[in-house]
Amino acid sequence: MKSGTGGPKRSDAQRNRERILEVALVELSRSADVPLCTIAKKAGVGQGTLYRNFPNREALVLEAYHHEVQQLTDSASELLKTMEPDQALRVWTDRLARFIMAKTGLADALRQASSATVGPEPSGYSLVFGSIEFLLKANHEAGTIRPGVTADDFLRAIAGIWQIDIRGDWHSQATRLLDIVMDGLRAGAPGRP
């Protein structure tokens, strides 16, 4: 990460930026109209620090969303380093469910930010889709899921997540749904007895 002068950002400046993004995602998921001073205060930084990193609300909203997509997609390869492919897929799918629930809350803020800036709406779809393909390939190679399952198949199978009410006990409902999907994916896997 570079500073405004072109050199690398100091570690404390990078931590401040990361903290602002984390707080912004939580707060903007609750309310698209949360004041930026509230985000700065909860992040433990001054408003000047917030505005040095994000010159306006739109920049903050779009960067918070991109940051979350990047963390989600980067976690796929990290999980495969420490888990069996089917376990990595299941844990990653939990993270995807949390992301979907956060995006549902963040949708109004994203719509407002996208309409105020020039350019396409930030979907992150291709990054998420690529992570699904990556995890499915690892599972196919290990024989931990049934052969021939595509990323499109997987997305259709988990589509029920989008029907869950985020105001209720969405986590328990998502866990149950994703466990059912994983049981179905594992059934008929060549590497399973």
Side-chain angles (χ1 to χ4, degrees):
M1 183 66 58
K2 296 204 176 205
S3 71
T5 61
K9 274 195 176 223
R10 294 186 339 241
S11 61
D12 60 332
Q14 184 60 32
R15 281 192 302 274
N16 285 342
R17 181 179 173 78
E18 295 291 322
R19 183 73 185 128
I20 292 167
L21 289 170
E22 290 168 10
V23 170
L25 183 65
V26 170
E27 294 302 317
L28 290 165
S29 295
R30 291 182 184 147
S31 170
D33 299 321
V34 64
L36 295 183
C37 61
T38 300
I39 293 172
K41 184 177 180 181
K42 289 188 176 187
V45 301
Q47 285 184 301
T49 299
L50 186 141
Y51 283 108
R52 265 192 306 281
N53 283 280
F54 307 100
N56 55 45
R57 172 179 290 279
E58 293 78 25
L60 176 59
V61 169
L62 295 175
E63 184 62 25
Y65 176 73
H66 180 266
H67 179 74
E68 186 73 3
V69 169
Q70 197 63 56
Q71 285 185 323
L72 173 67
T73 57
D74 289 349
S75 71
S77 61
E78 291 303 313
L79 291 170
L80 280 174
K81 291 177 184 175
T82 60
M83 299 177 177
E84 292 298 317
D86 59 330
Q87 294 169 333
L89 178 62
R90 180 63 184 87
V91 170
W92 187 85
T93 306
D94 276 334
R95 292 177 182 183
L96 175 63
R98 282 194 304 275
F99 170 77
I100 290 167
M101 294 302 131
K103 185 174 184 274
T104 300
L106 191 58
D108 288 339
L110 280 168
R111 274 191 289 278
Q112 290 173 14
S114 295
S115 66
T117 59
V118 178
E121 183 175 337
S123 72
Y125 179 80
S126 63
L127 292 172
V128 171
F129 194 84
S131 293
I132 293 168
E133 288 179 321
F134 175 71
L135 287 163
L136 291 177
K137 181 179 182 212
N139 276 276
H140 286 129
E141 289 172 357
T144 52
I145 63 172
R146 67 178 54 228
V149 176
T150 67
D152 285 325
D153 296 335
F154 182 79
L155 284 170
R156 286 185 193 100
I158 66 166
I161 292 173
W162 282 269
Q163 304 302 313
I164 297 172
D165 184 356
I166 64 168
R167 295 168 299 206
D169 182 18
W170 69 264
H171 190 262
S172 295
Q173 293 174 28
T175 297
R176 180 172 163 73
L177 173 72
L178 297 174
D179 285 344
I180 292 168
V181 169
M182 286 304 300
D183 288 347
L185 289 173
R186 289 178 181 124
R192 298 275 178 201

